[in-house]
Amino acid sequence: MERLVFPFNEGNRSMAELLGGKGANLSEMISLGIPVPDGFTITTAACRDFLERKSLSEQLESDIEFAVAKLENRTGRRFGDIKNPLLVSVRSGAKFSMPGMMETVLNVGISPDIARELAIKSKDPKFAWDSFRRFVEMYGRIVCAVPASVFEEVRHQYLAAAKLNSPLDLSAEQIEELSYKFIEKVEFLTSRSFPMDAKAQLLRAVEAVFSSWNSERATLYRRRERIPTTLGTAVNVQMMVFGNIGEDSGTGVCFTRNPSTGESGDYGDYLECAQGEDVVSGIRNTLTLHDLVNLQPKAYTELKSIMSKLESHYRDMCDIEFTIESGKLWILQTRVGKRTAEAAFCIASTLVDEGLISIDEALLRVTGEQLMNLMFPQFDLSASNERIATGIPASPGAAVGHVVFDSKSAVDEAMAGKRVILVRNETSPEDLPGMVAAQGILTSRGGKTSHAAVVARGMGRVAICGAEEIKVNVAAREFSANGHTIKANDLISIDGGTGAIYLGEMRVVESTVSQYLQNSISPQKFTPLIRAIERFLTRADIVRTLDVRANADTAADCDLARNFGAEGVGLVRTEHMFLGERRTLVETLILSDSAELRTEVLKEMEELQYQDFLGIYLAMEGLPVTVRLLDPPLHEFLTDKTELSLSIAKKEANNQPVSDHEKALLAAVNRLHEANPMMGLRGVRLGVLIPELFIMQVRAITRAAADLLRTGIRVKPEIMIPLVASQRELLYFRGVLEEEIKSLLVDLDTTLEIPIGSMLETPRAAITAAKLADYSDFFSFGTNDLTQLTWAFSRDDVEHSFLPRYLDLELLPFSPFESLDQDGVGLLLRIAYDEVKAVKPHLKLGVCGEHGGDPASIHFFHQLGLDYVSCSPYRVPIARLEAGRAAVLTRKLITLDEKATA
């Protein structure tokens, strides 16, 4: 029979999958001799069983009862006993940290009789009844599903009747009375008696925490963080310690390093006479950890020692929750702390310097996504926008948006295409959808460890908390700050790095990190962050096996890509060279019946392309440049059919003349119109039917390369044929191109090798790649089209129709256009790779779709054994970093396998 409950002293941190991160870390701390309130963990397996059967099994109920009895023996207290009560907290704890996404119920086991006895024993009636009130409110909200707004309304009415301004002003008797009013409301809304039996409270609380695994916010968070829904959460039942028992008590959250910047030193929040929820909820502005030195010097000294011990043990920045009960320090939980992108790089680098981790382990602790966040623009502080207030900088970055005051509005406005800033007094877990939708979060209350701050940092959202200068009036949908009134939909800018709040839209400039990556700042101006990024990119470049190229269509794009570290161009999309003013050339070519005019147009196009390629080759001197021949169907260069038809119909209806050009254009559009153009006349098929168009391109590619080669400039052109599906069409079309290149090189009296390869972007090409390899010098996977054709998805259509719903229902874990579908499309890549390597082991294979810059996809491409990835210029540094991480991770896994089999 599977074991479902473990006391804290029987686990360790390696058991996170079974005990959840929180439970495993509690067990680990006990083994280190750290003062942890006793308790037990109910496993993730029990959660999965509960979610399947919709109730607790008899075995689990029996195991919980047995674990409670053991806990009673160890603590000397009795669960539900009036004279010597054992009260517990019931907390979630999944394998991966999900701060604030699931539920917690405190003071389970309390009743009015126990509260009265606690009041006598503690000589603090207010503490006793406040503990009862907290339990009633949390149990009512979490277990009985009574909305938080109901309790807020009851509290507001009670305070108004008592002529009091704050719940802190309530006496013990008034808190007791308010608690009964809460109970009356819960019983009225649920038509059930409020339970005062300790065992019933515990079992229902466990059920509620298990159920919260599938709450809307938890599901949304998992989807965003790509946490598998099948894991489930553990539940930790832990003896209560009270931070609200008197002036020598309190609660706090601390980090062993600054989670915003990575700097060493004390960092955290503390609240006197409070319980943990008060700190993270942000309902009260906190004291700093430094204030604890004077308030509780003994506890502070012990806390600092524990912080040092935990960081050394975990070899990482730790996030620690603690409570001081009557001067005694207790550690409630620890975990590797959430951090900003800047802190991630700085902390990892510092830990290498301190000898705690190796450079390769540090490389695994930073990600391409974090580097991408650091490349986002920042505010131009020379702008004239008025600063209206300043708060606590909780999560860095620059965000501009229209003000909204609730989560639903944030989601709705964002869905409509608006940038929004979510403004609240404080956030709660229910606000998560709005926090995800918003560009930034601004709260008037809370500190650096409040819910808003922790979640924003984890998501990479800009956040300012505890901005006491602003007064938020949610009902009126406005906030005021130093004489200014900002209403819903007004535009503001917030700087999460400085805490500054500005009126209107601030100008943005390129970030310092982006400037560094483009070699545009001097080493003298390098900050610790820049030095850390340089360190990890350098290491990644040393260990990676994947080359990183860029998708670039102009000389300017190539310059940018090369500055970012690109090792060539993996995709020049030549169709982009005929947009804008040049579109008329393609239009003329299509419409003309004159062979002479068509020849003239092709010559003009060739000269333009020649100049384009000269610039690209010069920018990429000595590096490979892969030029894809024209890919899209010709109708894309013409006016939209519907738009043109309506324009002509309108003229005819108004008896206005329709020009011959318009008539010819409409005829051409109708002639070229296809029901499904993405699967029609395009790519190699277009080259077979209109070879002169592609011969023009090959001439420009070859002439530009030959002319530069004669001047001593090294060029490495490669020609890539798009949308190949069969061996015969490739053989035929390659022959056409080779004949033209050979003839031209003779005329130019130049020797130049130009490899001709093909894109693998159809399923047929992928599964017959071995046959295509006979006539291809290299392959590049076009994963965008391959994804569309494999899934039978039209990207432009599905992303605005059913794909969002599929993601909501978790029918798809992520968009296959954002990250490679490794099971389906990835299998086609693997088949093609294996087929090609079996017949041509040294043939080069790369990828040039958007997936070439996606971190998860890059790891797959590394494991597959591809030679290079190609991505947009701004993603080149991300790809370099992730390719290095993939190499280190693979080596680490191989080492672990070898140890396991030794």
Side-chain angles (χ1 to χ4, degrees):
M1 186 179 294
E2 185 176 13
R3 191 174 176 188
L4 301 177
V5 178
F6 287 75
F8 289 165
N9 61 359
E10 292 188 17
N12 59 67
R13 65 172 170 163
S14 70
M15 299 171 68
E17 188 146 346
L18 182 66
L19 303 181
K22 188 177 297 181
N25 287 330
L26 287 167
S27 295
E28 190 76 10
M29 285 194 291
I30 284 179
S31 71
L32 294 173
I34 290 171
V36 173
D38 204 352
F40 57 87
T41 300
I42 305 170
T43 67
T44 56
C47 175
R48 293 190 292 271
D49 179 71
F50 167 81
L51 293 174
E52 184 176 340
R53 68 168 68 231
K54 309 301 182 188
S55 63
L56 302 180
S57 66
E58 290 184 12
Q59 178 199 339
L60 180 57
E61 289 194 11
S62 174
D63 287 353
I64 291 172
E65 188 172 354
F66 182 76
V68 169
K70 289 287 188 181
L71 182 59
E72 289 175 330
N73 292 337
R74 294 195 300 270
T75 61
R77 301 179 183 182
R78 292 291 175 264
F79 196 47
D81 186 78
I82 296 173
K83 296 294 184 181
N84 186 28
L86 169 65
L87 302 184
V88 297
S89 62
V90 180
R91 299 171 182 263
S92 63
K95 177 183 178 181
F96 300 106
S97 176
M98 297 173 58
M101 297 305 110
M102 291 178 287
E103 301 294 5
T104 292
V105 185
L106 302 180
N107 306 328
V108 174
I110 200 169
S111 67
D113 290 338
I114 290 174
R116 275 187 281 273
E117 191 66 26
L118 278 177
I120 295 169
K121 281 191 173 183
S122 66
K123 298 180 182 179
D124 189 347
K126 191 167 182 177
F127 145 71
W129 288 108
D130 182 59
S131 298
F132 180 64
R133 187 274 311 166
R134 287 173 187 270
F135 166 72
V136 170
E137 189 168 348
M138 296 182 87
Y139 190 93
R141 179 172 55 83
I142 293 164
V143 180
C144 302
V146 175
S149 58
V150 170
F151 297 101
E152 286 299 323
E153 181 61 25
V154 172
R155 188 179 358 260
H156 176 75
Q157 291 175 358
Y158 188 87
L159 290 172
K163 298 182 179 179
L164 296 173
N165 295 320
S166 167
L168 298 176
D169 299 327
L170 292 169
S171 67
E173 292 78 11
Q174 288 171 318
I175 296 173
E176 179 183 4
E177 188 176 355
L178 178 61
S179 300
Y180 292 139
K181 288 188 176 294
F182 282 165
I183 290 172
E184 288 174 10
K185 198 70 173 178
V186 170
E187 290 181 336
F188 173 75
L189 292 173
T190 62
S191 300
R192 292 182 181 178
S193 298
F194 195 94
M196 295 302 172
D197 174 70
K199 179 180 176 181
Q201 291 175 3
L202 176 58
L203 294 179
R204 299 295 80 77
V206 169
E207 289 178 340
V209 175
F210 277 158
S211 296
S212 70
W213 173 254
N214 285 331
S215 67
E216 179 184 0
R217 65 177 184 268
T219 301
L220 178 61
Y221 187 88
R222 284 200 304 274
R223 186 183 308 137
R224 177 183 171 79
E225 299 296 318
R226 296 190 181 177
I227 297 172
T229 193
T230 54
L231 291 178
T233 181
V235 170
N236 299 287
V237 178
Q238 189 172 29
M239 181 182 74
M240 284 297 305
V241 289
F242 298 97
N244 59 335
I245 200 168
E247 294 302 317
D248 59 349
S249 302
T251 191
V253 177
C254 62
F255 295 86
T256 56
R257 296 175 192 255
N258 188 320
S260 290
T261 65
E263 295 172 293
S264 300
D266 295 346
Y267 185 93
D269 295 328
Y270 180 71
L271 272 178
E272 288 184 286
C273 199
Q275 287 193 314
E277 58 166 335
D278 299 332
V279 177
V280 295
S281 69
I283 59 175
R284 290 165 59 188
N285 284 343
T286 58
L287 303 172
T288 69
L289 209 59
H290 292 291
D291 295 317
L292 195 59
V293 178
N294 298 320
L295 295 171
Q296 298 272 4
K298 182 181 176 183
Y300 175 80
T301 301
E302 186 181 2
L303 178 62
K304 284 288 291 180
S305 174
I306 289 171
M307 290 169 69
S308 177
K309 177 184 281 190
L310 286 173
E311 180 166 283
S312 296
H313 184 71
Y314 282 90
R315 299 183 305 126
D316 206 345
M317 180 195 81
C318 292
D319 169 358
I320 302 165
E321 290 185 21
F322 65 94
T323 286
I324 300 172
E325 181 186 72
S326 303
K328 165 68 175 172
L329 175 67
W330 294 94
I331 306 300
L332 304 184
Q333 76 159 321
T334 192
R335 58 192 171 199
V336 171
K338 297 284 186 181
R339 64 205 70 186
T340 65
E342 177 181 352
F345 277 89
C346 291
I347 290 171
S349 185
T350 303
L351 291 174
V352 174
D353 293 337
E354 294 174 358
L356 286 174
I357 60 176
S358 68
I359 181 65
D360 284 348
E361 187 170 354
L363 184 58
L364 293 178
R365 294 190 182 184
V366 295
T367 67
E369 185 176 0
Q370 290 167 335
L371 181 57
M372 183 169 55
N373 287 339
L374 291 168
M375 293 172 66
F376 288 156
Q378 59 194 31
F379 286 142
D380 179 1
L381 297 181
S382 66
S384 58
N385 297 63
E386 182 177 358
R387 180 188 294 199
I388 58 172
T390 302
I392 298 170
S395 185
V400 177
H402 299 270
V403 171
V404 294
F405 291 94
D406 62 83
S407 179
K408 185 178 185 303
S409 297
V411 172
D412 291 344
E413 295 292 336
M415 288 285 286
K418 265 190 180 180
R419 297 171 299 166
V420 297
I421 304 291
L422 178 62
V423 180
R424 304 283 285 161
N425 280 312
E426 69 277 334
T427 63
S428 70
E430 283 72 24
D431 289 317
L432 181 68
M435 297 173 76
V436 171
Q439 302 293 309
I441 299 118
L442 170 62
T443 68
S444 63
R445 297 198 286 259
K448 292 181 178 179
T449 60
S450 65
H451 174 268
V454 172
V455 174
R457 280 196 296 271
M459 295 193 305
R461 285 289 182 274
V462 179
I464 297 174
C465 297
E468 295 179 324
E469 295 172 285
I470 75 170
K471 309 301 177 188
V472 180
N473 187 334
V474 175
R477 299 175 64 75
E478 65 182 30
F479 75 86
S480 59
N482 297 315
H484 296 276
T485 300
I486 291 83
K487 298 181 180 295
N489 208 39
D490 286 351
L491 205 59
I492 64 170
S493 302
I494 63 173
D495 188 333
T498 65
I501 305 156
Y502 300 93
L503 280 179
E505 181 169 1
M506 284 276 285
R507 285 199 309 270
V508 293
V509 293
E510 202 157 37
S511 74
T512 306
V513 170
S514 188
Q515 291 176 50
Y516 151 70
L517 291 169
Q518 296 176 66
N519 301 310
S520 57
I521 61 173
S522 65
Q524 290 78 18
K525 295 183 179 180
F526 281 10
T527 62
L529 170 62
I530 296 298
R531 285 192 288 272
I533 291 172
E534 182 178 48
R535 180 181 210 170
F536 293 127
L537 279 175
T538 300
R539 182 60 183 170
D541 288 340
I542 291 171
V543 299
R544 64 183 167 88
T545 57
L546 273 174
D547 286 345
V548 178
R549 300 188 187 181
N551 300 339
D553 311 323
T554 66
D557 284 347
C558 290
D559 282 332
L560 180 64
R562 190 156 193 168
N563 283 336
F564 276 134
E567 296 159 307
V569 175
L571 177 64
V572 178
R573 291 159 293 201
T574 53
E575 60 272 11
H576 288 187
M577 298 172 174
F578 292 104
L579 300 177
E581 294 179 358
R582 296 185 183 183
R583 185 189 293 263
T584 56
L585 289 172
V586 184
E587 184 178 296
T588 302
L589 188 69
I590 294 170
L591 297 180
S592 176
D593 292 327
S594 165
E596 185 178 345
L597 179 58
R598 289 165 64 89
T599 300
E600 288 180 11
V601 170
L602 285 169
K603 282 184 179 179
E604 185 176 354
M605 293 172 73
E606 182 181 328
E607 288 307 309
L608 290 170
Q609 293 251 278
Y610 169 80
Q611 294 297 329
D612 290 334
F613 293 131
L614 282 178
I616 289 171
Y617 292 153
L618 283 168
M620 284 290 168
E621 181 182 2
L623 298 176
V625 174
T626 306
V627 182
R628 183 181 71 187
L629 302 179
L630 278 172
D631 183 38
L634 288 180
H635 82 272
E636 289 194 9
F637 295 100
L638 302 179
T639 306
D640 177 73
K641 179 183 178 182
T642 303
E643 179 184 328
L644 183 60
S645 298
L646 287 173
S647 174
I648 291 175
K650 186 176 181 181
K651 285 185 176 182
E652 290 175 341
N654 294 323
N655 294 317
Q656 295 176 338
V658 177
S659 69
D660 290 341
H661 175 75
E662 287 175 305
K663 292 176 182 177
L665 188 57
L666 180 60
V669 168
N670 285 327
R671 186 178 74 252
L672 294 171
H673 176 73
E674 296 174 293
N676 193 342
M678 291 302 293
M679 299 173 70
L681 181 59
R682 52 173 288 223
V684 66
R685 303 159 194 168
L686 192 61
V688 170
L689 295 188
I690 314 177
E692 61 268 26
L693 191 59
F694 290 79
I695 288 172
M696 172 275 296
Q697 290 193 291
V698 167
R699 288 180 58 83
I701 291 167
T702 306
R703 284 177 52 214
D707 287 352
L708 289 175
L709 192 63
R710 282 196 294 269
T711 65
I713 293 173
R714 293 172 300 136
V715 291
K716 293 185 176 181
E718 300 176 344
I719 292 173
M720 185 158 65
I721 304 171
L723 210 72
V724 169
S726 78
Q727 186 184 43
R728 289 188 179 187
E729 69 180 351
L730 176 59
L731 173 61
Y732 170 80
F733 194 59
R734 181 187 174 104
V736 172
L737 301 183
E738 283 184 321
E739 184 179 342
E740 184 63 33
I741 293 170
K742 182 179 179 181
S743 172
L744 185 58
L745 288 175
V746 170
D747 293 342
L748 296 172
D749 192 23
T750 302
T751 300
L752 176 64
E753 184 178 343
I754 303 179
I756 299 176
S758 39
M759 290 187 78
L760 297 180
E761 51 188 336
T762 69
R764 189 181 193 282
I767 61 178
T768 62
K771 292 183 177 180
L772 299 178
D774 289 339
Y775 306 106
S776 194
D777 299 323
F778 65 89
F779 285 125
S780 181
F781 290 104
T783 53
N784 296 342
D785 275 356
L786 190 56
T787 296
Q788 291 195 93
L789 293 170
T790 302
W791 279 91
F793 281 176
S794 167
R795 178 173 184 171
D796 293 340
D797 294 326
V798 303
E799 287 190 330
H800 297 96
S801 55
F802 64 83
L803 188 56
R805 182 59 176 158
Y806 265 52
L807 294 173
D808 286 342
L809 295 172
E810 297 188 359
L811 302 179
L812 286 173
F814 50 81
S815 168
F817 297 110
E818 293 177 4
S819 194
L820 189 79
D821 159 33
Q822 297 181 19
D823 293 335
V825 179
L827 179 59
L828 289 175
L829 265 65
R830 191 174 297 281
I831 290 170
Y833 180 89
D834 292 343
E835 290 274 318
V836 169
K837 290 299 181 179
V839 295
K840 284 192 173 182
H842 302 296
L843 193 77
K844 182 175 60 183
L845 289 101
V847 62
C848 62
E850 285 301 311
H851 299 102
D854 169 63
S857 304
I858 289 168
H859 284 250
F860 175 81
F861 299 142
H862 166 82
Q863 292 162 9
L864 184 59
L866 297 188
D867 295 290
Y868 69 87
V869 296
S870 189
C871 55
S872 66
Y874 276 95
R875 284 209 168 236
V876 166
I878 288 99
R880 289 167 56 200
L881 186 73
E882 286 295 345
R885 294 181 70 245
V888 170
L889 185 60
T890 299
R891 195 161 59 204
K892 181 179 179 180
L893 292 174
I894 290 172
T895 302
L896 290 174
D897 285 343
E898 289 173 347
K899 286 181 178 179
T901 55

